[in-house]
Amino acid sequence: MASQSEHKATVIDGKLIAQTIRSEIAEEVRQLSEKYGKVPGLAVVIVGNRKDSQSYVGMKRKACAEVGIQSFDMDLPEQISEAELVSKVHELNANPDVHGILVQLPLPKHINEEKVLSEISLAKDVDGFHPLNIGKLAMKDREPLFQPCTPKGCLELLHRSGVSIKGKRAVVVGRSNIVGLPVSLLLLKADATVTVVHSRSNDQESIIREADIIIAAAGQPMMVTGHNDCL
Amino acid sequence: MASQSEHKATVIDGKLIAQTIRSEIAEEVRQLSEKYGKVPGLAVVIVGNRKDSQSYVGMKRKACAEVGIQSFDMDLPEQISEAELVSKVHELNANPDVHGILVQLPLPKHINEEKVLSEISLAKDVDGFHPLNIGKLAMKDREPLFQPCTPKGCLELLHRSGVSIKGKRAVVVGRSNIVGLPVSLLLLKADATVTVVHSRSNDQESIIREADIIIAAAGQPMMVTGHNDCL
């Protein structure tokens, strides 16, 4: 067992790093606006009244406003049909002022998420969830047009905190399409030795203890904790 | 350290399993032919005179003949231009008797492989190398139209040898687009706890020693060996 000092953790100040990134983006948007007379436009589509989704969407719209990105709000009723939602997506695909489209998940049960997401123009798939983008994310010597935001954020936090990834043992807890899977693919591309553990894994704890980098993306808090003797 | 008896290996008889699978496929082809008056057609495209490529292609064509699959041979000169090759691929896309297209890699250096592969109709991408197929292979609750053959073969060998994968620690050595990456994604989908080690990994040996299942796909033999004291 390693000594206590080796286990000493540095807490990454995510809020501070986010503020730095937002300032950088605000400056980029200002330059774009000056040079081309245009700002990036992000359409955020929400269907129904889920509290958590409304809160996420609210944060995204607020973040857009802060940095000067034009936000296109599309709030649709829970009862909207799949065909109507698809036609709304097509409208946004055709709108030249909209450069990115986010459809907040989950969608109501009567709507096929895969179908709707696949209708978003690849060039506007800023969530990076289209299987073609995930495939390019996975493959050596290919690059997706967009990377999913949470995985990208994880790597950005490591990078801006001065943590080198190359050759390190990284363990990702969880394998969701939205976080676990793409973050494991990004870490592999960044030359980490990557292990993915999940609900079917035996002996999760000992695997996690061997990691240099742990990304906890299991969808529930407190899955990964310190031992009392290390705290 | 485990005792010698625990390390005792069973050699998987790949040739025997392959023969069984070929007999099964021959029977399926016979039934298709009887029912529809048609057999599956596979186009195998080779550019230039690489010895190893010619040997692979020869084996594929021979395997087709054995099971009754119609083989469409397309042998093209080393000097063919990218545009000409793409137009050959389009011809095969349009041929209703061709159900699958294999373009043998590597292609000559003056040809962009990514460009050529992306021109193969998705419905005929039997190699499963199109990024859209790799993306669907990677993603939970999605299925690719085709799985790359070597990774699929690895899982088939495990399955037919009675090795259960769920919850096991699997280590994949190598992360190529053709074997390492897709086999790691298939093992993850089959509920293994998957680690990918590669040329940048530190401490490969100790990671490999902890594995229940090892897939050596580093492109060079004898990377993974037993210790003398375990042999």
Side-chain angles (χ1 to χ4, degrees):
Chain A
M1 157 131 330
S3 71
Q4 284 194 20
S5 64
E6 286 177 61
H7 276 283
K8 203 165 174 186
T10 309
V11 176
I12 295 177
D13 189 343
K15 283 188 182 160
L16 181 67
I17 293 176
Q19 203 43 59
T20 307
I21 294 173
R22 284 178 190 192
S23 305
E24 291 167 8
I25 294 174
E27 176 56 23
E28 280 182 63
V29 170
R30 205 188 55 73
Q31 289 180 12
L32 281 172
S33 168
E34 214 174 84
K35 205 163 165 189
Y36 302 106
K38 274 206 146 200
V39 295
L42 180 71
V44 182
V45 180
I46 181 169
V47 180
N49 303 306
R50 282 180 63 114
K51 279 260 155 54
D52 54 349
S53 292
Q54 285 184 322
S55 152
Y56 284 131
V57 163
M59 287 191 286
K60 289 169 186 175
R61 289 171 178 166
K62 188 160 161 275
C64 280
E66 261 181 54
V67 299
I69 290 176
Q70 191 182 357
S71 178
F72 293 78
D73 300 351
M74 195 174 262
D75 294 63
L76 301 168
E78 179 84 21
Q79 301 76 17
I80 193 169
S81 72
E82 187 179 297
E84 284 171 301
L85 178 55
V86 165
S87 108
K88 294 288 183 191
V89 168
H90 289 174
E91 259 176 48
L92 295 169
N93 284 344
N95 184 339
D97 292 326
V98 171
H99 306 100
I101 302 170
L102 295 179
V103 174
Q104 184 65 38
L105 301 181
L107 292 171
K109 289 212 188 315
H110 66 279
I111 295 177
N112 181 338
E113 280 183 6
E114 183 175 348
K115 164 77 179 149
V116 173
L117 293 182
S118 72
E119 294 291 330
I120 297 174
S121 158
L122 266 177
K124 299 188 180 186
D125 175 35
V126 281
D127 256 336
F129 292 152
H130 193 290
L132 190 66
N133 269 326
I134 296 290
K136 290 186 175 182
L137 183 77
M139 293 170 83
K140 206 189 265 196
D141 301 327
R142 308 282 171 102
E143 289 303 328
L145 287 167
F146 301 100
Q147 297 179 1
C149 64
T150 307
K152 186 176 169 143
C154 292
L155 269 85
E156 195 69 28
L157 282 174
L158 290 171
H159 177 65
R160 291 191 185 236
S161 306
V163 177
S164 76
I165 297 174
K166 195 174 196 164
K168 294 281 176 67
R169 291 204 60 175
V171 173
V172 176
V173 186
R175 50 178 169 169
S176 69
N177 287 339
I178 293 175
V179 187
L181 172 73
V183 84
S184 69
L185 297 170
L186 283 177
L187 286 164
L188 186 62
K189 263 197 176 167
D191 289 333
T193 301
V194 181
T195 302
V196 180
V197 304
H198 46 76
S199 55
R200 305 292 176 191
S201 296
N202 302 322
D203 200 20
Q204 293 187 6
E205 187 174 328
S206 75
I207 297 170
I208 291 169
R209 290 215 165 271
E210 286 172 9
D212 302 307
I213 296 166
I214 303 161
I215 308 281
Q220 66 180 84
M222 302 308 284
M223 281 276 290
V224 180
T225 60
H227 257 343
N228 285 337
D229 59 357
C230 302
L231 285 176
Chain B
M1 159 130 330
S3 71
Q4 284 194 21
S5 64
E6 285 176 64
H7 276 283
K8 203 166 174 183
T10 308
V11 176
I12 295 177
D13 188 343
K15 283 190 182 159
L16 182 68
I17 293 176
Q19 203 42 60
T20 308
I21 294 173
R22 284 179 189 191
S23 306
E24 291 168 7
I25 293 174
E27 175 57 21
E28 280 181 64
V29 170
R30 205 189 54 73
Q31 289 180 13
L32 281 171
S33 168
E34 214 174 84
K35 206 165 164 187
Y36 301 106
K38 274 205 145 198
V39 296
L42 180 71
V44 182
V45 180
I46 181 168
V47 180
N49 303 307
R50 280 179 66 113
K51 279 261 156 53
D52 55 349
S53 293
Q54 284 182 323
S55 153
Y56 285 131
V57 163
M59 288 191 284
K60 288 170 187 175
R61 289 172 179 167
K62 187 160 162 274
C64 280
E66 261 181 55
V67 300
I69 291 176
Q70 192 183 356
S71 177
F72 294 78
D73 300 352
M74 195 174 259
D75 295 64
L76 301 168
E78 179 86 19
Q79 301 76 18
I80 194 169
S81 73
E82 186 179 298
E84 283 171 301
L85 179 55
V86 165
S87 109
K88 293 289 183 191
V89 168
H90 289 173
E91 259 176 48
L92 296 169
N93 284 343
N95 185 338
D97 292 326
V98 171
H99 306 101
I101 302 170
L102 296 179
V103 174
Q104 184 64 39
L105 302 181
L107 292 171
K109 289 211 188 318
H110 67 280
I111 295 177
N112 181 338
E113 281 183 5
E114 182 175 348
K115 164 76 178 147
V116 173
L117 294 182
S118 73
E119 293 292 330
I120 296 174
S121 158
L122 265 178
K124 299 188 180 185
D125 175 35
V126 282
D127 256 337
F129 292 153
H130 193 290
L132 190 66
N133 270 326
I134 296 290
K136 290 186 175 182
L137 183 78
M139 292 171 83
K140 206 189 268 198
D141 302 326
R142 308 282 172 101
E143 288 304 328
L145 285 168
F146 301 100
Q147 297 179 1
C149 65
T150 308
K152 186 175 169 146
C154 293
L155 269 83
E156 196 67 28
L157 282 174
L158 291 170
H159 177 65
R160 291 190 186 235
S161 307
V163 176
S164 76
I165 297 173
K166 196 174 195 163
K168 294 281 177 64
R169 291 203 61 174
V171 173
V172 175
V173 186
R175 51 178 169 169
S176 70
N177 288 338
I178 292 177
V179 187
L181 171 74
V183 84
S184 70
L185 297 171
L186 283 177
L187 286 164
L188 186 61
K189 264 200 174 165
D191 289 333
T193 301
V194 181
T195 302
V196 180
V197 303
H198 46 76
S199 54
R200 303 293 176 190
S201 296
N202 301 322
D203 200 19
Q204 293 186 8
E205 187 175 327
S206 75
I207 297 170
I208 291 170
R209 291 215 164 271
E210 287 172 7
D212 302 307
I213 297 166
I214 303 161
I215 309 280
Q220 66 180 86
M222 302 307 285
M223 280 276 291
V224 180
T225 59
H227 258 342
N228 284 336
D229 58 358
C230 304
L231 284 177

